[in-house]
Amino acid sequence: MSAPDQEYRLPNGGPSIAALPKVSLHDHLDGGLRPTTIAELAPAAGIELPEGDLGAWIAAQADSGSLVEYLKTFEITVGVMQTAEALTRVAHEFVLDLAADGVIHGEVRWAPEQHLTRGLTLDAAVEAVQQGIDDAIDDLAERGHEISIGQILCALRHTGESLAIAELALRHRENGVVAFDIAGPEIGFPAAGHRAAFDLLATEFLPVTVHAGEADGLDSIRGALLDGRALRLGHGVRLADDVSVIGRETDRTTVGLGPIATWVRDREITLELAPSSNLQTGAIAFWGTEMYDHPFDLLYQLGFRVTVNTDNRLMSATSLSRELALLSQAFDYDLNDFQVFQLNAAAAAFLPLEDRDALADRIALGFEEA
Ligand SMILES: [Zn+2]
C-alpha cells in the first residue's frame, strides 16, 4: 500500500486534501524515496533487499518499535544514494511526489556527509541534489504546477562535521541551500557541541532549524534556541513538558507556560511537527500512543505556531495530505484549521518576505476556491 495513491478528505467529506495548496517544511530526502526506485538502484549499489512489497516492509520495520530496525531502513535508502546520478534521480522524484500531493513550497533536508562512500565530494553531492530539484521544477512548470524548493543541509549531532557542513551550506546559499539543521541522536549530543558551526551561521545570517524536543526534553530545546539560535524547531513536541495545568474547573482548564515555552510561543518560533513520525519514534510516549494523545492540539490551542509535516514519507507510509487527514480525525479539524497550518508554514518558510507573502496569497486563494 502506498499512501499517496489514496485520496484523503475530511471525515465529513469536502475537497480532496491533496488539491489544497500546502507547504512542507520538514521532509527528509533519504526518507522519501519511491520503493520502485530503491529496487532499481539497489543492485548497482550492492544492496540486497528483502523479498516482497518493499514499501510495506519498510513501513513495517519503521513501525516495529525498535530503533535498530527503524534505522536499518535508512541504511538501505542512504545506501542507494551514493552517486550523483542516484541523488539527482531521487531529488527529482521527491519533488514530483510533493507536487502530486499539492505542495507549492517544500524544504528538503538531508545530510551530505552520509553520501560520500563512493567518491562524491560534499559539494558534488549538493550539486547533484540541486540538479534533480531544478529538473523537477522545470518539468512541473511545463505542466502548469508552480513549486519552489529549498535544500536544508543537516549536520549530524554525533559526528564532528558540523562546521564543514555549515561552510558547505554557505557555499551553496546562492544555489538552492536555504538553511542548516542538526539531526541524529539527540540524547548525549547537545547543540552546544556544534557552537562553532552555529556561530559561523549566525555571523553570516544563514537560517537554522534544529531537531530538538523529539528524543530529548527541554534542555535540548534550550540548547537549540541558545546555542543554535534556531528560528524553527524540528518537532519540539517536548515543549509540552513546559506546559503545566494550574487550575481545573468543570468547563475550563487553566495552564501555565514555563520560560522556554513562553519564549517559543511569544516569539512565534515554528514547530515542525510530524504526527505519524512522532508516534513511531516515541516522541510523544509520555502522553500516549494514539494520535489523539499527541500534544499537537494542546500546542495549537495555546497559540504556538504549529505546522504539519511528514518527516519521512516512506518510513511512515504517509503524505502531507494523509497527516492532515489523521489530525482531522483525531481533533475534529476543518478546512479553516488546515489553512492556519499552511499559512503558519508559509510564514516560517526560509524564503524572502515577498516570496512568503506570495505563498500566503496562493494558499488563501486555493482554500477559498476549494
Ligand atoms: Zn526529521
Side-chain angles (χ1 to χ4, degrees):
M1 185 192 71
S2 165
D5 296 340
Q6 296 183 6
E7 192 153 60
Y8 294 100
R9 294 178 193 278
L10 288 164
N12 60 358
S16 160
I17 299 175
L20 299 167
K22 293 181 289 299
V23 172
S24 173
L25 298 181
H26 190 131
D27 203 342
H28 291 261
L29 185 66
D30 50 321
L33 289 78
R34 298 175 181 174
T36 47
T37 298
I38 298 173
E40 284 176 38
L41 295 174
I47 288 174
E48 229 176 290
L49 297 175
E51 305 270 322
D53 183 335
L54 184 63
W57 180 84
I58 288 176
Q61 292 285 109
D63 220 14
S64 65
S66 154
L67 186 64
V68 174
E69 296 302 316
Y70 185 74
L71 293 177
K72 262 188 204 164
T73 63
F74 284 95
E75 278 174 32
I76 291 175
T77 57
V78 170
V80 301
M81 297 163 67
Q82 298 295 330
T83 64
E85 296 74 30
L87 283 170
T88 299
R89 174 177 174 174
V90 168
H92 187 164
E93 294 174 350
F94 190 98
V95 175
L96 297 183
D97 291 349
L98 287 182
D101 193 33
V103 171
I104 58 170
H105 174 73
E107 295 180 1
V108 46
R109 67 185 69 199
W110 62 295
E113 67 187 88
Q114 293 184 303
H115 299 266
L116 310 181
T117 64
R118 294 181 67 192
L120 278 178
T121 62
L122 289 171
D123 291 274
V126 173
E127 284 162 16
V129 167
Q130 192 58 37
Q131 185 65 54
I133 292 171
D134 291 343
D135 292 347
I137 290 173
D138 290 348
D139 286 355
L140 290 162
E142 281 176 26
R143 290 188 237 153
H145 184 107
E146 187 190 339
I147 190 168
S148 53
I149 299 287
Q151 289 194 51
I152 298 177
L153 300 190
C154 303
L156 300 173
R157 283 177 178 265
H158 59 298
T159 66
E161 300 301 314
S162 55
L163 183 56
I165 301 303
E167 290 166 346
L168 179 71
L170 290 169
R171 281 200 297 282
H172 292 267
R173 72 188 303 181
E174 300 303 326
N175 185 32
V177 172
V178 296
F180 173 89
D181 173 33
I182 55 171
E186 202 176 334
I187 297 172
F189 299 96
H194 305 281
R195 257 319 270 261
F198 290 129
D199 287 352
L200 173 66
L201 294 162
T203 306
E204 298 293 335
F205 297 108
L206 190 81
V208 169
T209 178
V210 170
H211 274 83
E214 180 187 22
D216 205 357
L218 289 174
D219 277 346
S220 178
I221 295 174
R222 190 196 312 269
L225 298 168
L226 297 185
D227 296 305
R229 287 84 135 187
L231 299 174
R232 304 192 325 219
L233 293 171
H235 307 294
V237 276
R238 292 283 299 277
L239 259 187
D241 292 359
D242 212 22
V243 178
S244 51
V245 174
I246 52 180
R248 193 174 266 147
E249 294 156 42
T250 36
D251 59 340
R252 210 171 129 85
T253 303
T254 316
V255 299
L257 301 186
I260 299 174
T262 299
W263 173 260
V264 170
R265 189 188 67 160
D266 292 353
R267 303 275 66 78
E268 300 190 306
I269 291 166
T270 300
L271 305 182
E272 304 163 352
L273 297 162
S276 291
S277 169
N278 297 155
L279 283 178
Q280 274 182 314
T281 62
I284 67 148
F286 178 77
W287 296 280
T289 56
E290 303 297 329
M291 192 57 80
Y292 56 72
D293 297 319
H294 198 297
F296 184 99
D297 191 56
L298 171 72
L299 296 165
Y300 175 42
Q301 302 301 343
L302 289 172
F304 286 86
R305 186 181 272 179
V306 296
T307 63
V308 183
N309 299 277
T310 50
D311 207 13
N312 297 292
R313 283 183 272 130
L314 173 67
M315 285 71 184
S316 298
T318 202
S319 63
L320 199 45
S321 294
R322 179 171 174 270
E323 293 301 304
L324 288 164
L326 293 173
L327 287 173
S328 70
Q329 285 162 18
F331 301 117
D332 264 342
Y333 293 150
D334 59 19
L335 287 182
N336 291 327
D337 298 301
F338 286 1
Q339 186 172 358
V340 171
F341 307 149
Q342 300 318 311
L343 291 173
N344 281 351
F350 290 136
L351 287 172
L353 178 63
E354 54 272 27
D355 295 352
R356 290 190 281 125
D357 286 347
L359 280 181
D361 288 345
R362 284 181 73 188
I363 291 165
L365 186 66
F367 275 79
E368 200 179 289
E369 289 173 347

